[in-house]
Amino acid sequence: MTYTFHERERTVRAGAVHLLALTGPVIPAAMFFASRRSDRFTAGEAAKATNFAAAALFAFLLATLVRIFVPLVGFVGTLAQWVVPVVAVYCCLAGFRLARRGEPAQYPIQFKVVKTDD
């Protein structure tokens, strides 16, 4: 499938926002606010990436709190601290692949931190 320059640029930005979600929800949120009026596809993907990054960050912080403050099941928090980043990397890479093809990505877990028209 051949893309025009504008479609390729749009899918590159949308794919990059999924990879940048690995750094946390701040950069995808900034990209959402920067592109929400000019490029609806990139803005929608940035909103999904922001929501997933916030959910992953919340899950990691919750696992850390369980590890620190719950003595009998602290190993569950330690296990979750290993699992959450692995799942986040996998989901962000899957979102990147879909966005680069021009298809909308779907994450398995999303909190609505950034609301869209969807």
Side-chain angles (χ1 to χ4, degrees):
M1 181 172 173
T2 59
Y3 293 111
T4 64
F5 176 73
H6 295 295
E7 289 174 348
R8 195 174 97 212
E9 182 181 330
R10 180 177 64 106
T11 60
V12 166
R13 278 193 308 245
V17 90
H18 287 289
L19 292 180
L20 289 170
L22 293 172
T23 64
V26 175
I27 296 173
M31 289 199 58
F32 168 75
F33 289 116
S35 66
R36 68 180 169 180
R37 301 216 190 279
S38 61
D39 186 4
R40 293 183 59 82
F41 180 69
T42 303
E45 295 302 302
K48 292 175 191 175
T50 301
N51 292 335
F52 180 73
L57 181 64
F58 177 74
F60 189 80
L61 291 176
L62 185 66
T64 302
L65 290 175
V66 167
R67 179 180 179 202
I68 293 172
F69 293 115
V70 183
L72 295 178
V73 291
F75 68 93
V76 174
T78 303
L79 180 65
Q81 282 182 323
W82 284 90
V83 169
V84 168
V86 170
V87 169
V89 167
Y90 174 77
C91 290
C92 288
L93 287 176
F96 168 75
R97 281 194 347 253
L98 286 171
R100 284 292 290 141
R101 282 189 269 170
E103 301 172 13
Q106 282 297 106
Y107 286 107
I109 300 169
Q110 287 190 4
F111 297 119
K112 295 292 182 179
V113 176
V114 176
K115 298 196 186 288
T116 60
D117 296 337
D118 302 353

